[in-house]
Amino acid sequence: MSKRVELVFDFVSPNAYLIWWPLRDLVRRTGAELDVIPVFLGGMHKLTGNAPPMIRDADVKGKVEYSMLEMQRFIAKHNLTKYKLHPQFPFNSITLQRMLFAADQDGRGVQFVEAMLPAIWQEGVDVLDPASLGAAVTAAGFDAKDLYERSQTDEVKQGLAANTDNVVARGAFGIPTMFVGPKGAGEMFFGKERLDQVEDELNKQA
């Protein structure tokens, strides 16, 4: 059995950006394989009753402020100094996620994420403008027209919805969620602060 991490992923989550490179370093260091599971975070929230932290915790004195402090500590620890809050955050990621799903069908999901994260969370590309998004996808080395056309098909729409349903059925409620172990049956870890636990779990595997 090969070591494997499945990362539940939606571009709209800042934590999806923040965990990406530390997780990539971790899987390289441990000799693991990394899969992305494209989902729609808005759908996950609807299915689970969850909400973005700044909404969910808005009435809890001090909690949002502490979460921002913790984020800055994580950024400093992992030298993620290029990160910028996207000017359209929270943006509707459904088309982008469907394009990711299509790329993942081609076996290039990890490459699509790696190429597009800087465009979104460092350069602030207009993800709601088809021309701007298409240009960024093309610059990343993908066929933007093909991915967009496939993103509009029932196959891809239903596939993304099924992924979302499946990760919720496995216990996921937010991002970043990681499953460590056999594909479709790994141990679940939630939060970018769980990377040490993820590494411990990987080191248990043959």
Side-chain angles (χ1 to χ4, degrees):
M1 178 183 71
S2 62
K3 299 179 181 181
R4 182 177 300 277
V5 178
E6 297 176 280
L7 176 66
V8 178
F9 190 90
D10 188 327
F11 280 106
V12 74
S13 170
N15 283 323
Y17 171 90
L18 294 174
I19 200 171
W20 182 256
W21 281 278
L23 180 60
R24 289 284 269 157
D25 289 343
L26 188 159
V27 297
R28 291 189 188 103
R29 186 167 64 249
T30 58
E33 297 181 37
L34 176 63
D35 297 322
V36 294
I37 305 178
V39 299
F40 183 49
L41 181 56
M44 289 181 69
H45 284 171
K46 184 175 181 180
L47 289 168
T48 61
N50 199 3
M54 73 287 294
I55 296 174
R56 185 188 65 229
D57 300 331
D59 295 330
V60 181
K61 182 175 174 58
K63 192 169 183 181
V64 172
E65 290 81 3
Y66 179 78
S67 295
M68 296 306 297
L69 174 61
E70 182 274 333
M71 177 182 285
Q72 291 305 316
R73 288 171 174 165
F74 189 90
I75 288 169
K77 177 179 179 179
H78 296 284
N79 195 31
L80 299 169
T81 55
K82 295 180 181 179
Y83 165 79
K84 298 176 183 176
L85 184 66
H86 195 279
Q88 295 169 310
F89 178 78
F91 51 82
N92 187 331
S93 63
I94 190 70
T95 298
L96 190 56
Q97 288 304 108
R98 289 169 178 167
M99 292 174 77
L100 169 58
F101 184 93
D104 196 51
Q105 285 183 312
D106 299 336
R108 300 184 69 194
V110 169
Q111 293 91 333
F112 189 83
V113 169
E114 183 119 332
M116 291 301 295
L117 277 175
I120 295 167
W121 290 104
Q122 295 176 19
E123 301 163 19
V125 66
D126 186 345
V127 296
L128 304 181
D129 175 60
S132 298
L133 180 59
V137 171
T138 299
F142 290 82
D143 186 335
K145 182 175 183 292
D146 172 66
L147 292 183
Y148 179 77
E149 288 177 350
R150 289 163 61 193
S151 77
Q152 303 304 300
T153 65
D154 288 342
E155 177 188 4
V156 168
K157 291 178 180 180
Q158 292 168 10
L160 183 67
N163 272 5
T164 304
D165 290 342
N166 289 340
V167 298
V168 169
R170 293 172 68 183
F173 51 84
I175 288 176
T177 296
M178 294 153 283
F179 295 103
V180 182
K183 194 167 186 175
E187 187 83 6
M188 187 179 109
F189 297 85
F190 175 74
K192 60 186 181 296
E193 302 80 13
R194 305 295 177 263
L195 287 172
D196 288 346
Q197 295 177 17
V198 168
E199 186 162 9
D200 288 344
E201 185 68 20
L202 285 170
N203 287 332
K204 294 177 186 177
Q205 300 178 12

